[in-house]
Amino acid sequence: MITELGHYALVLALVLALAQSVIPLVGAQRNLRPWMALAQPAAVGQFFLLGLSFLALVHAYVVSDFSVAAVYENSHSAQPLIYKVAAAWGNHEGSLLLWVLILGFFGALVAAFGNNLPLRLKSRVLAVQAMISTGFLVFMLLTSNPFARLGQAPLEGRQLNPMLQDPGLAFHPPMLYLGYVGLSMSFSFAIAALLEGSVDAAWARWVRPWTLLSWTTLTCGIVLGSRWAYYELGWGGWWYWDPVENASFMPWLIATALLHSAIVVEKRDSLKAWTILLAILGFAFSMLGTFLVRSGVITSVHAFAQDPARGIFILALLAIAIGGSLSLFAWRAPILKPGGFFAPISREGSLVLNNLLLAVLAATVLFGTLAPLILNVMNLGTISVGPPYFQTVFVPIAMPLVLIAAIGPFLGWKRGDLPGALQRLAAAGIAAAIAIGFAWYMADGASFMALAGMALAAWLFIGTLIEWAGRVKLGGSLGASWSRAIRLPRSAYGMTLAHAGLAVAIVGMTGSIAWKQEKVAVLHVGQSIEVGDTSYRLDDIRKVTVDNYLADRATIVASQNGQLLALLTPERRQYLVPSPPTTESAIHSNFARDVYVVVGEPDGQGGWTVRIYVEPLVLWIWLGGGLMALGGVVSLTDRRYRVGAPSKMLARKSEVAARA
């Protein structure tokens, strides 16, 4: 009964989404206030129905209702409760329902907290958002119904993919989807602005918090996914440029550019058309990621490989949504008159260059992701595009981006003083030189890219601190500096944290790539191997039973100069439902390095394959990512984002003017 209720709620949500798509849009065009006002309760009602549907699906997983096809395919009665709940979105159908639920969530947020928005703009935004929901609801009900029943209920399910039975699954996908789908809100604002033919500072103030929320959650999702891949997949790496990883990274790059571009619109009334285009492209890349994950054109542990017919449906949605929006942009963009002009050397100029580099980086990732697929479809051969391509092409483009990130905040609006900015960054330059020397000494020599990475990280981190110190005039009166620090907008602190976090993450990326050590050996109990200055001895290996799997659990003693460093217990697991064995790494972390151990297959003669990785500074990657996300959260608490612009009175005046 509850399952049918969830299905009916999904159908009703589609009906409400259709009404929300059409009636407020017509009302905005004809200036019919009651029709426009319908958007708000429709958005809230749609979210309520989608929430009801999603809870019904979760209930089916919790009670192990194997008459539901999706539950049978992705759950098992012996799974721990957390994985039964997480399995609700650990598959194509359930994740699609979560996607649409988040679409409805953002629409409901605008309806509930968008009181400062002019009614006409608000109704158009909610109508566009509902159009997106309509497309995905139709797709779900026609091809991917999460409540589809089996003719005869099996006694037991097939279980969730063992690799996904990890606490990270409970947080990584929802956080990633909040970022993905959040870009739909920026897209809806962009389309509404094109329909109105108006983009101004107030529009930029309205769109920035939604973009910032999306960027923050997308950052969290990428960081959590990277961490999950690092400890769960057992290969000792944190990023492989997998197509599905790239599918989340490309929208993040565009969202970063959009955030910076919206600042220029708000502060200087410039880059209007460029900002609108970035909002469209950000959601386009999110849609592309949806296609890659669900079309079956790629094979990945992250992907939901399905019938290609579903991919064709999503491709059609992609063509309609993005093709239509770009056509509207081509038609309406010329009426978006540019604002004030600025010199190339200025704050605006640095942000423009920042945006161009981010766009080029996204294009680079897009080419590396799609080229093998396109060549394969056209029968032109098979190629593999992996880390060597991205490290060779992506990194050199990203380097000037980091350089500019430290310089830009020291340049004035409209016209800047580059020599003066560089003079104020002298300490950052000295720090970069010290970082090069220290890295060279500690590693007994290093590659150019490793030294450049450490130098850029020091440059950006110290430059960010100097910029903050300049804002509060640190070095003068301590009381006056404290007063300025308290009054400093939270968005300024958010920028400081985000830039500092990027610098910290660069340290981790550089160290883990440049100075990583690894060794693979077959060990019998009591035997040891040496990696660097550390000895690793296989002390014991025994069988254990835990929840819904059996495991061979090894005990490996790591020691330095006869002193115990760590006891590591990696596992080789076999789940109760027949599936390939999986590995569970054991990691000993500190700020200097990770010791990462994986136990593999036995050799049949009493020996076990043991893989050991020494990962210098890798922990800094996630610390930096966490700082960046914290910066986004701090910025979101800025009062200017909560109040919005303009005030309610100005919004009413706008409506009166529209009716006149």
Side-chain angles (χ1 to χ4, degrees):
M1 178 63 183
I2 293 179
T3 299
E4 278 68 34
L5 180 63
H7 191 190
Y8 295 151
L10 205 57
V11 175
L12 289 175
L14 172 60
V15 174
L16 206 54
L18 281 168
Q20 184 184 334
S21 301
V22 177
I23 297 174
L25 204 60
V26 174
Q29 185 65 30
R30 297 184 178 181
N31 201 26
L32 301 174
R33 186 179 181 87
W35 287 33
M36 289 188 282
L38 178 67
Q40 184 168 330
V44 175
Q46 184 193 156
F47 173 62
F48 173 77
L49 290 170
L50 290 171
L52 185 64
S53 181
F54 186 75
L55 288 176
L57 182 65
V58 172
H59 175 268
Y61 277 92
V62 170
V63 301
S64 297
D65 183 359
F66 297 123
S67 68
V68 179
V71 178
Y72 165 69
E73 292 288 345
N74 300 281
S75 190
H76 189 279
S77 60
Q79 281 179 196
L81 179 60
I82 185 175
Y83 300 138
K84 287 183 179 180
V85 174
W89 56 77
N91 60 89
H92 169 73
E93 292 82 4
S95 67
L96 199 59
L97 180 53
L98 178 62
W99 176 283
V100 181
L101 173 65
I102 295 174
L103 272 173
F105 171 68
F106 276 99
L109 284 180
V110 171
F113 300 105
N115 295 328
N116 288 330
L117 289 168
L119 182 59
R120 179 176 292 179
L121 177 64
K122 184 177 181 179
S123 62
R124 282 175 167 154
V125 168
L126 291 176
V128 174
Q129 191 76 0
M131 288 180 185
I132 302 169
S133 294
T134 299
F136 277 96
L137 283 167
V138 170
F139 169 59
M140 190 189 314
L141 289 169
L142 293 182
T143 71
S144 311
N145 183 3
F147 299 103
R149 294 277 195 178
L150 295 172
Q152 184 174 356
L155 294 177
E156 193 53 84
R158 293 184 174 180
Q159 86 167 346
L160 181 65
N161 183 338
M163 283 188 162
L164 302 180
Q165 293 191 39
D166 180 86
L169 180 69
F171 306 103
H172 163 54
M175 195 66 70
L176 201 62
Y177 285 5
L178 278 170
Y180 263 147
V181 183
L183 288 173
S184 68
M185 208 68 256
S186 304
F187 173 82
S188 296
F189 270 95
I191 299 303
L194 288 174
L195 292 173
E196 293 209 347
S198 174
V199 175
D200 54 16
W203 178 89
R205 180 74 66 84
W206 286 317
V207 81
R208 274 183 66 191
W210 302 107
T211 306
L212 184 58
L213 176 59
S214 173
W215 180 88
T216 302
T217 53
L218 193 54
T219 301
C220 289
I222 291 172
V223 170
L224 289 172
S226 170
R227 179 66 182 175
W228 171 81
Y230 175 69
Y231 69 75
E232 181 65 26
L233 300 184
W235 60 286
W238 45 271
W239 193 265
Y240 195 69
W241 298 100
D242 177 282
V244 180
E245 292 175 333
N246 295 346
S248 63
F249 189 44
M250 289 183 287
W252 184 87
L253 290 169
I254 297 299
T256 305
L258 176 57
L259 272 177
H260 290 84
S261 187
I263 293 173
V264 180
V265 177
E266 182 182 349
K267 300 289 187 182
R268 297 291 301 155
D269 200 33
S270 296
L271 303 185
K272 297 177 181 179
W274 175 245
T275 304
I276 292 289
L277 180 60
L278 286 174
I280 293 172
L281 290 178
F283 185 60
F285 277 116
S286 293
M287 292 279 285
L288 178 63
T290 306
F291 169 71
L292 290 175
V293 171
R294 292 171 171 79
S295 62
V297 300
I298 61 170
T299 301
S300 166
V301 68
H302 309 80
F304 305 115
Q306 297 289 333
D307 184 345
R310 292 176 173 176
I312 294 173
F313 199 116
I314 297 177
L315 197 59
L317 283 177
L318 182 64
I320 293 170
I322 306 309
S325 60
L326 289 176
S327 298
L328 179 63
F329 175 78
W331 174 43
R332 300 286 284 177
I335 68 174
L336 302 177
K337 297 180 181 180
F341 295 97
F342 53 86
I345 304 298
S346 62
R347 180 80 64 88
E348 299 96 323
S350 70
L351 290 172
V352 168
L353 186 55
N354 166 294
N355 282 358
L356 290 175
L357 289 171
L358 285 167
V360 171
L361 289 173
T364 299
V365 178
L366 179 65
F367 174 79
T369 304
L370 296 185
L373 304 178
I374 294 172
L375 291 176
N376 188 40
V377 169
M378 298 176 67
N379 294 319
L380 296 177
T382 302
I383 64 170
S384 177
V385 178
Y389 160 80
F390 291 102
Q391 291 174 12
T392 302
V393 178
F394 184 93
V395 175
I397 300 173
M399 284 182 171
L401 185 66
V402 179
L403 197 68
I404 295 165
I407 298 173
F410 289 93
L411 297 174
W413 293 104
K414 194 174 181 180
R415 185 180 301 277
D417 177 15
L418 183 58
L422 293 175
Q423 185 177 4
R424 295 174 66 186
L425 284 166
I430 294 171
I434 292 173
I436 291 174
F438 183 74
W440 181 275
Y441 172 76
M442 293 299 294
D444 193 20
S447 67
F448 168 78
M449 297 299 282
L451 297 177
M454 288 299 185
L456 286 171
W459 164 266
L460 179 58
F461 188 82
I462 299 301
T464 300
L465 293 183
I466 293 172
E467 193 272 339
W468 175 82
R471 281 175 176 265
V472 300
K473 296 189 178 346
L474 200 64
S477 167
L478 186 60
S481 296
W482 176 254
S483 178
R484 292 188 188 93
I486 293 175
R487 295 198 304 268
L488 200 63
R490 292 181 186 175
S491 59
Y493 281 105
M495 183 196 76
T496 299
L497 287 170
H499 284 191
L502 177 59
V504 171
I506 291 171
V507 171
M509 294 174 194
T510 302
S512 64
I513 293 173
W515 300 299
K516 179 177 179 177
Q517 296 176 291
E518 59 181 277
K519 184 173 285 188
V520 181
V522 176
L523 297 181
H524 291 72
V525 172
Q527 289 185 329
S528 303
I529 58 173
E530 305 286 332
V531 182
D533 59 353
T534 306
S535 173
Y536 300 88
R537 185 181 72 247
L538 177 59
D539 242 22
D540 180 36
I541 190 159
R542 63 187 186 278
K543 293 189 179 295
V544 296
T545 301
V546 181
D547 293 331
N548 60 327
Y549 65 84
L550 305 174
D552 294 307
R553 179 179 294 169
T555 300
I556 294 178
V557 179
S559 57
Q560 289 179 334
N561 302 319
Q563 299 295 317
L564 177 66
L565 175 66
L567 282 176
L568 301 158
T569 55
E571 295 179 355
R572 185 171 182 267
R573 295 179 177 178
Q574 178 64 62
Y575 282 77
L576 300 182
V577 177
S579 60
T582 64
T583 60
E584 191 74 12
S585 60
I587 304 171
H588 178 261
S589 294
N590 58 39
F591 285 102
R593 66 179 183 178
D594 272 14
V595 173
Y596 184 109
V597 180
V598 180
V599 62
E601 297 181 358
D603 67 354
Q605 300 177 359
W608 293 82
T609 302
V610 176
R611 299 196 305 276
I612 297 174
Y613 306 91
V614 177
E615 305 269 2
L617 303 174
V618 70
L619 185 62
W620 292 49
I621 296 173
W622 301 295
L623 292 175
L627 274 177
M628 293 170 70
L630 179 61
V633 172
V634 171
S635 291
L636 281 169
T637 64
D638 194 306
R639 183 177 179 275
R640 293 176 301 172
Y641 291 148
R642 297 198 305 273
V643 172
S647 66
K648 292 182 180 181
M649 183 61 70
L650 291 177
R652 294 193 191 101
K653 288 180 180 179
S654 176
E655 294 171 25
V656 172
R659 290 196 297 268

